[in-house]
């Protein structure tokens, strides 16, 4: 048994002072050190630096590790030129991305306090790294392919990758899952098969959705920048689905939709009614010129995620949260900071179906220590000071064990 003591603890009731957390693999109790020592007299006491805050481990629900080699290869600024550049550079980026590079990015995530992440896997090449990394990984095997001619072959390959992720040992902390690439790139028959499979096996499900204005125009009217793209690469000029048909394919099975920047109020309300959630990727959206998700009016749970280095400059969750503070500049900053902390802990764990994300009894002891440079004057400011000042966290525990990023 360990007892971790800090000036502040982020609990479901807010920030509490002068308390401690007792845990082994799971959290046992949050109470004063004296009370905890009466119940657990043999426990190892771990005292944190002054001005420290204990948070549940942060969760990055959406990242593409396979694209970690990108720095300046891909075209930022606008979605279609970016997608063209992905097609042109994909093979080289994949070749340059080895296990060492992906493990380094997992370590970077760990140093920023990420104890669990959702890995979107196009090819399955990051499975070995995800098995070895100390974090919990929801391994989203991605299904892609709008051309019905290749559907069987692509589905077969997807099933093989899914099976590999289902065969990982318990110690790897991997949860197998399914990702549908997007409405424009997956044939509706494949979408239906994948959703049915997810339902039957209770697998977490995710899909990119309404990321760009170009996607909206293509799905609504069969026009815009995607028309030339599909004519060039797929010899077709009609979309395989539309917005309604795609959304309805997920009815009754809560799905994590990524981006939704170009969704209307009606579409967002529909997603909310169906119990879905959104992964909000502020830097990715800004870098690809996609727009801003209006989180201030959302009525469904959202997480905040980095997306991959294919549309970002780091996989640090605190870099992402600082960007979110800037992007949503009209929101009151303390309220926004509190929402962002909740989005990356409590909400993200519920969305991915993980038994962590909250400091309360019976949750997995995934804990992070953030040390502020000075004492906060008001409890209401702690979330903001944490986001603004944290480049690296001071300590990380996963399943009760201390883990050190290399
Ligand atoms: C497809 O496989 O149909 C596809 C892949 C990437 C972008 C668009 C379509
Ligand atoms: Fe993505």
């Amino acid at each position: 048994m360990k007892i971790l003591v800090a000036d502040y603890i982020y609990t479901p009731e807010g920030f509490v002072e002068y308390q401690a957390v007792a845990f082994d693999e799971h959290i046992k109790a949050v109470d004063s050190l004296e009370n905890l020592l009466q119940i657990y007299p043999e426990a190892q006491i771990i005292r944190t630096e002054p001005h420290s805050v204990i948070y549940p481990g942060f969760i990055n629900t959406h990242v593409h590790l396979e694209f970690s080699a990108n720095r300046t290869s891909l075209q930022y600024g606008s979605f279609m030129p970016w997608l063209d550049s992905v097609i042109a550079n994909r093979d080289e980026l994949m070749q340059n991305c080895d296990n060492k590079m992906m493990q380094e990015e997992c370590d970077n995530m760990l140093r920023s306090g990420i104890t669990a992440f959702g890995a979107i896997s196009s090819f399955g090449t990051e499975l070995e790294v995800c098995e070895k990394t100390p974090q919990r990984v929801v391994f989203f095997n991605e299904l892609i392919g709008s051309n019905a001619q290749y559907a069987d072959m692509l589905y077969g390959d997807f099933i093989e990758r899914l099976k590999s992720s289902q065969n990982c040992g318990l110690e790897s902390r991997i949860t197998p899952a399914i990702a549908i690439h997007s409405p424009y790139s997956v044939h509706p028959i494949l979408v239906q098969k994948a959703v049915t499979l997810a339902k039957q096996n209770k697998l977490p499900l995710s899909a990119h959705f309404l990321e760009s204005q170009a996607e909206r125009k293509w799905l609504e009217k069969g026009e815009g920048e995607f028309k030339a793209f599909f004519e060039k690469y797929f010899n077709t000029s009609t979309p395989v689905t539309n917005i309604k048909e795609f959304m309805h394919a997920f009815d009754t099975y809560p799905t994590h939709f990524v981006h939704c920047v170009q969704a209307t109020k009606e579409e967002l309300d529909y997603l909310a009614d169906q119990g879905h959630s959104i992964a909000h990727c502020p830097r990715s959206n800004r870098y690809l010129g996609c727009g801003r998700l209006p989180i201030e009016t959302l009525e469904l749970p959202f997480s905040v995620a980095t997306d991959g280095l294919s549309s970002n400059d780091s996989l640090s969750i605190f870099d992402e949260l600082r960007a979110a503070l800037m992007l949503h500049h009209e929101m009151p900053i303390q309220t926004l900071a509190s929402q962002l902390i909740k989005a990356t802990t409590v909400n993200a764990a519920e969305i991915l179906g993980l038994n962590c994300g909250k400091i309360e009894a019976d949750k997995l002891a995934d804990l992070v220590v953030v040390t502020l440079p000075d004492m906060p004057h008001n409890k209401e400011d702690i979330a903001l000071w944490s986001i603004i000042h944290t480049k690296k966290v001071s300590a990380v525990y996963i399943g009760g064990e201390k883990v050190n990023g290399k």
Side-chain angles (χ1 to χ4, degrees):
M1 190 69 61
K2 298 182 180 89
I3 297 179
L4 188 60
V5 195
D7 287 344
Y8 290 99
I9 302 172
Y10 177 74
T11 74
E13 283 74 48
F15 291 94
V16 296
E17 271 175 286
Y18 312 122
Q19 302 270 293
V21 190
F23 60 94
D24 46 25
E25 189 187 357
H26 291 86
I27 294 168
K28 295 294 166 190
V30 180
D31 206 333
S32 65
L33 179 59
E34 300 77 65
N35 287 352
L36 290 176
L37 275 175
Q38 288 198 344
I39 314 169
Y40 308 108
E42 306 286 302
Q44 174 197 356
I45 301 172
I46 308 161
R47 292 182 193 275
T48 57
E49 298 279 295
H51 331 307
S52 287
V53 188
I54 308 172
Y55 283 101
F58 292 91
I59 302 168
N60 185 12
T61 62
H62 183 88
V63 55
H64 303 256
L65 282 173
E66 288 166 320
F67 288 96
S68 293
N70 176 58
R71 292 297 177 276
T72 58
S73 303
L74 301 180
Q75 182 71 45
Y76 284 10
S78 179
F79 187 78
M80 262 350 265
W82 172 81
L83 188 56
D84 271 318
S85 75
V86 170
I87 301 218
N89 293 279
R90 190 173 47 194
D91 291 348
E92 202 188 339
L93 285 174
M94 290 296 297
Q95 263 169 24
N96 293 342
C97 186
D98 57 12
N99 280 4
K100 182 168 171 284
M101 180 178 271
M102 292 190 280
Q103 186 58 60
E104 271 166 23
E105 291 307 332
C106 291
D107 289 340
N108 284 337
M109 284 198 271
L110 197 64
R111 279 189 283 267
S112 86
I114 293 172
T115 56
F117 58 86
I120 310 300
S121 175
S122 304
F123 308 102
T125 54
E126 73 280 66
L127 184 59
E128 200 182 322
V129 167
C130 291
E131 282 185 87
K132 286 189 184 142
T133 200
Q135 287 113 327
R136 298 178 204 285
V137 182
V138 178
F139 197 85
F140 284 102
N141 297 282
E142 189 171 65
L143 179 59
I144 195 165
S146 58
N147 188 334
Q149 243 187 312
Y150 304 116
D152 287 345
M153 189 262 291
L154 291 166
Y155 192 75
D157 173 72
F158 156 76
I159 291 293
E160 287 309 309
R161 286 183 281 120
L162 176 63
K163 277 188 189 153
S164 302
S165 68
Q166 287 172 317
N167 288 334
C168 298
L170 263 186
E171 69 287 355
S172 69
R173 299 184 174 123
I174 286 187
T175 307
I178 295 177
I180 288 161
H181 180 260
S182 74
Y184 58 82
S185 61
V186 187
H187 195 280
I189 292 176
L190 286 182
V191 173
Q192 205 199 346
K193 282 175 87 161
V195 174
T196 304
L197 190 63
K199 278 184 190 170
Q200 283 168 346
N201 295 278
K202 297 193 169 64
L203 302 175
L205 183 60
S206 183
H208 294 110
F209 187 43
L210 293 173
E211 177 173 8
S212 65
Q213 198 46 255
E215 175 179 340
R216 181 153 204 113
K217 210 165 185 181
W218 174 244
L219 296 174
E220 271 187 330
K221 303 195 177 94
E223 287 171 6
E225 292 171 290
F226 263 112
K227 199 174 173 79
F229 176 91
F230 273 96
E231 279 166 357
K232 179 175 171 190
Y233 293 109
F234 296 93
N235 198 26
T236 171
S237 49
T238 42
V240 286
T241 191
N242 58 54
I243 292 171
K244 264 213 175 105
E245 182 186 51
F246 186 75
M247 273 201 308
H248 289 190
F250 298 85
D251 284 357
T252 75
Y253 197 69
T255 300
H256 199 33
F257 286 101
V258 184
H259 304 307
C260 299
V261 171
Q262 296 299 332
T264 62
K265 175 86 178 77
E266 288 69 37
E267 287 152 3
L268 292 171
D269 286 346
Y270 188 78
L271 296 181
D273 284 347
Q274 292 295 323
H276 299 309
S277 59
I278 294 181
H280 172 42
C281 305
R283 282 186 291 174
S284 174
N285 295 160
R286 176 68 184 99
Y287 291 163
L288 304 191
C290 289
R292 187 187 77 90
L293 181 75
I295 57 170
E296 63 281 2
T297 54
L298 284 185
E299 290 178 26
L300 68 172
F302 70 91
S303 67
V304 178
T306 60
D307 216 341
L309 287 171
S310 33
S311 57
N312 214 335
D313 57 272
S314 85
L315 301 184
S316 157
I317 200 70
F318 279 100
D319 285 351
E320 202 63 49
L321 298 183
R322 279 188 287 278
L325 287 181
M326 303 301 151
L327 189 64
H328 306 288
H329 60 89
E330 292 191 347
M331 290 179 75
I333 201 162
Q334 278 86 358
T335 318
L336 173 57
S338 300
Q339 283 182 15
L340 295 173
I341 295 286
K342 184 163 177 268
T344 45
T345 54
V346 183
N347 292 4
E350 270 171 23
I351 289 166
L352 293 186
L354 299 171
N355 184 33
C356 52
K358 269 186 198 172
I359 302 188
E360 68 179 21
D362 300 330
K363 292 286 173 194
L364 286 158
D366 293 2
L367 303 168
V368 156
V369 179
V370 163
T371 304
L372 298 175
D374 207 345
M375 206 59 186
H377 289 192
N378 301 304
K379 265 192 201 174
E380 292 69 35
D381 294 332
I382 297 175
L384 179 62
W385 298 146
S386 299
I387 294 175
I388 290 179
H389 290 296
T390 308
K391 307 294 182 290
K392 284 180 188 168
V393 297
S394 312
V396 180
Y397 296 83
I398 298 178
E401 296 297 329
K402 189 164 187 192
V403 281
N404 298 305
K406 274 163 225 113

